[in-house]
Amino acid sequence: MEYLAQYLTRMFIVISSDVTSINVIPIAEIAEYMGKNAIIKVNGTVVTSSSGVNVGLNLGENIINIDVTSAVGGVTQRYTIVVTRVDTYLSDISIKASKKQIINDFNMYTTSYTETSPSITALTIIPTANDPNNVTIYVNGTAVVSGNSINVPVTSGKTNNISIIVKSNIYSDYILTYNFEIMVGS
């Protein structure tokens, strides 16, 4: 396993949108021989072995290059970390009964809501994705384009469950579900 670093030169990591930076800590393989006085650069910034450098992350793909130049022979080896920051959150949602707004305190990180509505037969829902280019939104199983409305039938006199799923188009493993329990008056 000690020679694994010679062959593993690219690593892929997928993270959620709430991670805005990572700390990269490169460590020279053998400090007293090849690693002694090695020059290590993270995205062009010189760092010492075992010292960390904070790297900010944008939404989407972020490339982090780690270049290690040995003190013996001046050979440089590049290691690349590709960090993809996906955003599966809703930035806003409008749920209306006729013209009355049902959700007044929406927070993108709160995924479960319980609200009440006057007696109606349908709710108008307009989900808006935080990153509309990289997600698909489903309201009770029906695909909806970010910022567009959908009418969802409801039954008066009972609690109606509405599921809004935001699925990453970059990595299908990233799915966020918002649950709304809305009691419709009779």
Side-chain angles (χ1 to χ4, degrees):
M1 294 295 268
E2 65 186 66
Y3 296 104
L4 179 63
Q6 292 178 4
Y7 303 106
L8 179 66
T9 59
R10 186 172 285 260
M11 177 184 299
F12 297 91
I13 302 170
V14 180
I15 58 172
S16 65
S17 67
D18 55 337
V19 179
T20 58
S21 67
I22 61 171
N23 195 26
V24 178
I25 306 171
I27 300 171
E29 185 179 6
I30 306 171
E32 59 278 351
Y33 179 61
M34 295 295 282
K36 186 175 181 179
N37 299 320
I39 298 169
I40 303 171
K41 294 180 181 179
V42 176
N43 283 348
T45 301
V46 176
V47 298
T48 58
S49 181
S50 302
S51 295
V53 61
N54 197 41
V55 177
L57 301 171
N58 297 315
L59 288 174
E61 190 174 89
N62 297 267
I63 306 268
I64 301 170
N65 288 315
I66 303 169
D67 294 317
V68 182
T69 303
S70 69
V72 179
V75 176
T76 299
Q77 174 68 47
R78 173 167 278 184
Y79 302 92
T80 302
I81 303 170
V82 180
V83 181
T84 303
R85 185 173 161 223
V86 296
D87 189 357
T88 54
Y89 291 99
L90 292 178
S91 61
D92 195 16
I93 188 156
S94 172
I95 299 179
K96 292 183 180 180
S98 297
K99 295 184 186 228
K100 181 181 188 274
Q101 185 74 21
I102 302 300
I103 303 292
N104 293 312
D105 59 348
F106 179 75
N107 178 318
M108 71 172 53
Y109 302 110
T110 302
T111 59
S112 187
Y113 292 86
T114 302
E115 301 291 339
T116 59
S117 166
S119 182
I120 51 158
T121 58
L123 292 169
T124 301
I125 300 175
I126 304 172
T128 304
N130 206 31
D131 182 10
N133 298 316
N134 292 318
V135 297
T136 303
I137 303 172
Y138 298 92
V139 177
N140 284 355
T142 301
V144 179
V145 174
S146 177
N148 288 349
S149 67
I150 183 172
N151 288 324
V152 176
V154 292
T155 304
S156 192
K158 67 179 268 188
T159 298
N160 293 265
N161 293 309
I162 298 167
S163 171
I164 299 179
I165 296 174
V166 186
K167 183 177 178 182
S168 170
N169 292 338
I170 300 173
Y171 286 95
S172 60
D173 291 345
Y174 280 83
I175 298 171
L176 182 61
T177 303
Y178 292 89
N179 295 302
F180 298 89
E181 291 183 351
I182 300 177
M183 174 61 180
V184 178
S186 50

